[in-house]
Amino acid sequence: MAMTSRTSILKFFSLLICSLAIAKMAIAGDPDILTDFMAPPNGTVDGNFFTYTGMRVILQDEPKNFTVLKATSAEFPALNGQSVSYAVLFFTPGTINPPHTHPRSAELLFLVGGTLEVGFVDTKNNLFTQTLQSGDMFVFPKGLVHFQYNADSENPAIAISAFGSASAGTVSIPSTLFATNIDDNILALSFKTDVATVQKLKASFAPKP
C-alpha cells in the first residue's frame, strides 16, 4: 500500500511539473537576456547599431502596390532580446493584406491615414470586424487569423503595427495552402471542392515567369 501511495504521489508531482513547464512555455514570449542588449559577435556597437533607416523609403517614394516594410530582428539585429518589432503597411486603393497569423506575438495596429476594414477569427470561429479611421488602433490577438483591407477605391491607407516579439513570424494562409506542395486531393477534400479548382488556385500562386 505504501509503495502504491508513493507511486501515485510521484506521478502527481511529475504531472504537476510537466503542467507548469507547459504553462510557462505557453505564456513565454522572446527569451529574457541577461545583458542590456545582444551585441554582434564581430561588429562595432555605436549609435548606428541601434538605428534602423529601412523605413525611409516609404516616406520618399509612395509605393504603387500593397507594401509591408518590416523592422524585425532579421532586418534590425539590435532588436534581438528586446521583445519588440514594427511593420509599416502601405495599402494602395482597393488592396488587401490577406488572411494570415503571427504565431509568436499579438499585433497592435495604428492607422496613420485613410480607412481600413480589419478583422480576426477566434478559436470558436467568431469573426470580429471593424472599420478603422485615421488615428484608430486595433489589436489582433496572438496566433489568430486576421486581415486588413483598404476598401477605398481612390485613397491609400498607411498603418504601423507593433509586435511583442523581435520575430513575430507571419504565416500567410493563401500562400501556405496553395503555394506549397500540399497534395491536391487533400486540399480538394478539405475545401469540399474538386482537384481542378485546387489546381487553378495553385496556378494563380505560381511564380511569374
Side-chain angles (χ1 to χ4, degrees):
M1 180 67 73
M3 182 62 72
T4 303
S5 178
R6 180 179 294 178
T7 303
S8 298
I9 291 170
L10 286 173
K11 283 183 179 179
F12 170 78
F13 278 109
S14 296
L15 287 169
L16 181 63
I17 290 168
C18 287
S19 299
L20 290 172
I22 292 169
K24 177 68 175 174
M25 290 171 64
I27 63 172
D30 292 354
D32 287 333
I33 58 174
L34 300 177
T35 55
D36 294 334
F37 52 86
M38 295 178 66
N42 298 306
T44 303
V45 176
D46 55 18
N48 291 322
F49 176 70
F50 300 101
T51 305
Y52 182 67
T53 61
M55 302 295 183
R56 289 181 182 177
V57 62
I58 209 165
L59 301 175
Q60 295 165 353
D61 255 336
E62 189 171 289
K64 294 182 173 46
N65 302 296
F66 168 67
T67 301
V68 179
L69 295 176
K70 298 179 180 179
T72 71
S73 56
E75 298 83 17
F76 190 11
L79 296 182
N80 274 314
Q82 302 303 322
S83 299
V84 67
S85 59
Y86 269 96
V88 173
L89 302 92
F90 187 91
F91 296 81
T92 47
T95 54
I96 188 170
N97 189 6
H100 60 282
T101 70
H102 302 294
R104 294 183 287 275
S105 176
E107 174 182 357
L108 182 59
L109 180 141
F110 172 63
L111 185 59
V112 177
T115 61
L116 277 183
E117 305 291 329
V118 301
F120 70 88
V121 179
D122 71 8
T123 55
K124 296 179 180 178
N125 279 339
N126 296 312
L127 173 64
F128 300 87
T129 62
Q130 187 60 270
T131 300
L132 301 182
Q133 306 294 325
S134 298
D136 292 347
M137 301 180 81
F138 192 86
V139 63
F140 303 101
K142 179 180 178 179
L144 298 185
V145 173
H146 59 280
F147 61 87
Q148 299 110 17
Y149 170 49
N150 180 12
D152 192 324
S153 60
E154 297 182 358
N155 300 301
I158 187 166
I160 299 173
S161 286
F163 301 91
S165 168
S167 181
T170 300
V171 179
S172 170
I173 306 302
S175 297
T176 298
L177 294 173
F178 300 110
T180 55
N181 293 320
I182 298 176
D183 184 81
D184 292 350
N185 289 307
I186 291 173
L187 289 173
L189 288 168
S190 299
F191 288 95
K192 296 180 171 51
T193 187
D194 52 67
V195 168
T197 301
V198 168
Q199 290 176 341
K200 187 186 249 187
L201 286 165
K202 282 189 170 182
S204 70
F205 284 92
K208 304 298 180 192

